[in-house]
């Protein structure tokens, strides 16, 4: 439970950082590459959320990486007796909120789809609904359809219908329905985040502006006609969470303003992509490297690698995951500290076959906790002549009291 909450907290922090950065850079990106470049910059958001979950390079034990277990984390008497329940309660609260968000969005999508009534195919590649819960729109995820209302032919002229349908087909061509599905997942996972409502509104607005820009690029002389088609269709119905709606009353003014100022930007397309990719990769790399602050504390100490045959190794044993051992409660209550030096035998499959205590400052106090932790660590075997071989590694484990945390 604690790891889940810590991951959610870390992801929430990076979501906030990405949102603030996108808000600050949005005017600059729009001047450089227009609405389409701004929309592509939203790739930054999933990237910084996924990057901290990617594994860091394995930690080479040959360089010396002692494990540090802090006793201050175990000051249970200073906390209420039911304090251990808080992580479980918080995790249950988050899960309840996530489930509620899933239900609300699923019901909204189903209500919208049922509200369309029966669908009939049209010659222009779209589908005509018998009712209008907020159409035209691109509806569906696996097999998205462009659906228009029953009065579509009467409300719009031939030229306006072509522009509207081309707008919706642009959504389908660029996979915007998948982007909306990803946003729906984000709403469920981070329902508690105070910036998520702004992120959702701004993302959907940039999606529509980008689609408008792509459509106008193909019909630069149709700006006035395009604006008139928007004015004829005001959305007064509830929207579906995973549909791309043509009508968008809250952002109507911004969409029409974009048409007045829209023109092909002087910035080359490739340059715009480099700007966005550089932004995403740069912050994503920072998010990925931020895991290093949570890894095991290291200090300079002798550590040896041994091959069972006695020959030198091309690559020593490395480690993928090394959580610190539990601090024995009796040792913590007595204020005891110590150091245990372990020798771990790792076979060619990367499994710890044997763990032995070579030395201990307080024999019998920290031995069991150290051995139990070492058996749970995950290793990568040593390499010799291009093949994995059995090896032995010596690992010091330090048990210390962190006074700064106990004050």
């Amino acid at each position: 439970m604690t790891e889940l909450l810590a991951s959610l907290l870390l992801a929430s922090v990076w979501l906030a950082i990405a949102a603030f950065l996108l808000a600050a850079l949005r005017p600059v990106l729009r001047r450089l590459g227009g609405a389409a470049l701004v929309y592509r910059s939203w790739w930054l958001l999933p990237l910084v959320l996924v990057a901290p979950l990617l594994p860091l390079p394995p930690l080479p034990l040959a360089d010396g990486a002692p494990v540090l277990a802090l006793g201050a984390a175990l000051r249970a008497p200073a906390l209420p007796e039911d304090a251990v329940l808080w992580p479980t309660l918080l995790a249950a609260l988050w899960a309840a909120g996530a489930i509620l968000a899933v239900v609300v969005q699923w019901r909204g999508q189903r209500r919208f789809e049922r509200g369309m009534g029966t669908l009939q195919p049209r010659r222009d590649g779209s589908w005509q609904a018998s009712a209008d819960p907020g159409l035209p729109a691109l509806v569906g995820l696996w097999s998205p359809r462009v659906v228009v209302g029953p009065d579509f032919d009467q409300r719009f002229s031939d030229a306006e219908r072509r522009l509207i349908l081309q707008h919706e087909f642009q959504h389908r061509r660029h996979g915007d329905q998948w982007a909306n599905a990803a946003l729906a997942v984000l709403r469920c996972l981070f329902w508690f985040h105070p910036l998520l409502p702004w992120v959702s509104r701004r993302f959907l607005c940039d999606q529509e502006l980008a689609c408008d820009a792509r459509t106008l690029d193909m019909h630069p002389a149709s700006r006035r006609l395009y604006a008139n088609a928007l004015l004829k269709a005001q959305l007064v119905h509830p929207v579906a969470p995973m549909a791309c709606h043509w009508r968008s009353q809250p952002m109507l003014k911004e969409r029409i303003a974009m048409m007045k100022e829209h023109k092909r930007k002087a910035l080359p397309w490739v340059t715009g992509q480099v700007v966005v990719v550089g932004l995403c990769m740069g912050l994503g790399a920072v998010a990925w490297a931020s895991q290093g602050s949570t890894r095991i504390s290291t200090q300079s100490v002798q550590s040896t690698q041994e091959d069972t045959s006695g020959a030198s190794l091309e690559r020593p044993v490395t480690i993928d995951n090394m959580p610190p051992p539990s601090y024995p409660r009796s040792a913590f209550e007595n204020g005891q500290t110590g150091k245990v030096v372990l020798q771990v035998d790792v076979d060619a499959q990367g499994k710890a076959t044997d763990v032995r205590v070579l030395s201990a400052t307080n024999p019998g106090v920290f031995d069991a906790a150290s051995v139990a932790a070492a058996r749970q660590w995950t290793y990568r075997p040593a390499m010799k002549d291009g093949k994995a071989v059995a090896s032995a590694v010596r690992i010091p484990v330090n048990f210390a009291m962190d006074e700064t945390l106990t004050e």
Side-chain angles (χ1 to χ4, degrees), residues 198-373:
W198 178 87
V199 168
S200 301
R201 290 194 303 268
R202 191 70 265 169
F203 173 80
L204 293 175
C205 179
D206 288 340
Q207 183 185 86
E208 289 303 321
L209 291 175
C211 197
D212 290 339
R214 290 192 296 263
T215 305
L216 289 176
D217 282 342
M218 293 183 290
H219 304 279
S222 301
R223 290 190 180 90
R224 184 180 296 275
L225 188 65
Y226 198 88
N228 288 336
L230 278 176
L231 291 172
K232 285 183 179 181
Q234 292 303 298
L235 182 59
V236 295
H237 304 281
V239 298
M242 290 183 289
C244 301
H245 295 274
W246 160 260
R247 297 186 274 182
S248 52
Q249 187 176 15
M251 63 181 102
L252 178 63
K253 185 182 295 185
E254 187 172 359
R255 292 178 70 179
I256 293 179
M258 187 277 296
M259 294 177 213
K260 294 180 180 179
E261 64 185 27
H262 176 70
K263 59 182 179 180
R264 290 188 178 273
K265 302 296 178 179
L267 187 69
W269 185 88
V270 174
T271 306
Q273 309 315 304
V274 171
V275 171
V276 172
V277 170
L279 172 66
C280 294
M281 296 302 294
L283 191 61
V286 173
W288 176 70
S290 67
Q291 300 175 82
S293 61
T294 64
R295 298 186 81 179
I296 301 164
S297 302
T298 63
Q299 65 187 53
S300 207
V301 25
Q302 182 180 4
S303 178
T304 63
Q305 291 278 350
E306 301 173 356
D307 180 14
T308 53
S309 64
S312 60
L313 300 173
E314 294 176 358
R315 189 196 71 186
V317 173
T318 55
I319 191 162
D320 288 324
N321 187 25
M322 183 189 262
S326 301
Y327 207 101
R329 183 171 298 277
S330 59
F332 173 78
E333 292 174 349
N334 296 326
Q336 291 179 292
T337 61
K339 176 181 175 181
V340 178
V341 179
L342 301 174
Q343 178 168 310
V344 183
D345 295 335
V346 181
D347 63 15
Q349 286 72 42
K351 296 181 180 180
T353 57
D354 187 30
V355 181
R356 297 187 299 276
V357 176
L358 298 182
S359 63
T361 54
N362 287 317
V365 178
F366 302 106
D367 299 26
S370 302
V371 171

Side-chain angles (χ1 to χ4, degrees), residues 161-176:
R161 290 199 297 271
R162 285 195 294 271
L163 288 174
I164 293 172
L165 291 177
Q166 189 151 30
H167 174 98
E168 296 301 329
F169 286 132
Q170 285 284 340
H171 276 307
R172 185 171 67 182
R173 187 174 299 114
H174 288 81
D176 288 341

Side-chain angles (χ1 to χ4, degrees), residues 117-123 126-130 145-148:
T118 58
L119 301 181
Q120 297 294 332
R122 293 166 50 95
R123 293 182 179 179
S126 64
W127 294 73
Q128 189 150 22
S130 59
R145 298 175 177 179
V146 176
V147 184
V148 299

Side-chain angles (χ1 to χ4, degrees), residues 44 67 121 166 174 188 194 354 377:
L44 178 67
V67 184
Q166 189 151 30
H174 288 81
C188 297
D354 187 30
W377 297 336

